[in-house]
Each structure stands twice: as structure tokens, then as C-alpha cells.
């Protein structure tokens, strides 16, 4: 680790700090697209409860994802209409994989 001070600007405020190469090489934050539902953990799709074209409301269960022997209900992040379902029962999914698109 370098003892050289680096300058960071956050919300128009400048900070001097020491940080690592790992910090410098991190992926930049990307604002999530509200029209896409991504897997939050790797696992297996146990059941898909919704269908394409179905209207859903915030909190409605869309699918069941099993991870580490636990079944997780994946809920709608907002009101909308299911545009595409990209997974089926039995599919293995990775973290951040696109599961469902909304209109």
C-alpha cells in the first residue's frame, strides 16, 4: 500500500486519503434499472409464479429461488406488467442474472 495521499471528491467535497489498488479498480456503481429484476444470489429457480403479460403490484411474489437450502420468495420491486420471463423452473442462476423484465 502506498503512503501517497489521493484526492477524492464526493458531493463537491474534496477528501485526502490513502487507499488501495483494489479500491481504485472497483467497479463503478450503476443505478439499477427498475424495469429489470436481477438475481440477488446464485441459486436454482424452484417455481415461476407469474406469466408474461401479467400485471403485478409491489410486493407480489414473482418466483421462488432456492439458495443454500433456503427458499426465497422474490417479490416485485414495483407495480408493472411482466414483459419477459427469462428463467424456467429448474434453471440455475448466477448472482446479478436477469430474471424478469417489466414494461
Amino acid at each position: 500500500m502506498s503512503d501517497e495521499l489521493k484526492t477524492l471528491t464526493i458531493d463537491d467535497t474534496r477528501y485526502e486519503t490513502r487507499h488501495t489498488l483494489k479500491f481504485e479498480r472497483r467497479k463503478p456503481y450503476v443505478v439499477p434499472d427498475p424495469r429489470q429484476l436481477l438475481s440477488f444470489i446464485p441459486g436454482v429457480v424452484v417455481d415461476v409464479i407469474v406469466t408474461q403479460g401479467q400485471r403485478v403490484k409491489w410486493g407480489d411474489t414473482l418466483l421462488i429461488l432456492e439458495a443454500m437450502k433456503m427458499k426465497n420468495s422474490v417479490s416485485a420491486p414495483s407495480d408493472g406488467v411482466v414483459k419477459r420471463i427469462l428463467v424456467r423452473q429448474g434453471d440455475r442462476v448466477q448472482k446479478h442474472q436477469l430474471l424478469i423484465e417489466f414494461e
Side-chain angles (χ1 to χ4, degrees):
M1 181 157 82
S2 170
D3 285 338
E4 182 181 332
L5 288 174
K6 307 279 183 172
T7 302
L8 279 164
T9 303
I10 303 172
D11 295 331
D12 298 328
T13 303
R14 291 176 50 122
Y15 299 92
E16 284 190 355
T17 185
R18 291 181 183 88
H19 54 80
T20 63
L21 286 176
K22 180 179 178 182
F23 179 80
E24 289 178 7
R25 293 178 183 155
R26 75 194 184 285
K27 292 180 183 178
Y29 175 74
V30 177
V31 178
D33 185 345
R35 296 170 297 169
Q36 296 183 337
L37 178 68
L38 305 177
S39 173
F40 61 93
I41 192 168
V44 176
V45 176
V46 174
D47 193 14
V48 179
I49 297 168
V50 295
T51 58
Q52 187 172 329
Q54 182 176 339
R55 182 169 292 283
V56 294
K57 294 188 177 193
W58 176 87
D60 287 352
T61 301
L62 305 174
L63 57 87
I64 307 295
L65 181 66
E66 184 174 341
M68 298 168 44
K69 298 185 181 181
M70 293 184 65
K71 292 183 178 164
N72 302 282
S73 295
V74 180
S75 303
S78 61
D79 295 354
V81 176
V82 177
K83 180 179 178 181
R84 280 191 329 158
I85 301 171
L86 298 144
V87 293
R88 293 184 300 207
Q89 184 177 359
D91 284 356
R92 291 189 172 278
V93 297
Q94 300 300 315
K95 186 175 182 178
H96 302 300
Q97 180 176 335
L98 180 58
L99 304 174
I100 297 175
E101 285 185 324
F102 300 97
E103 291 182 2

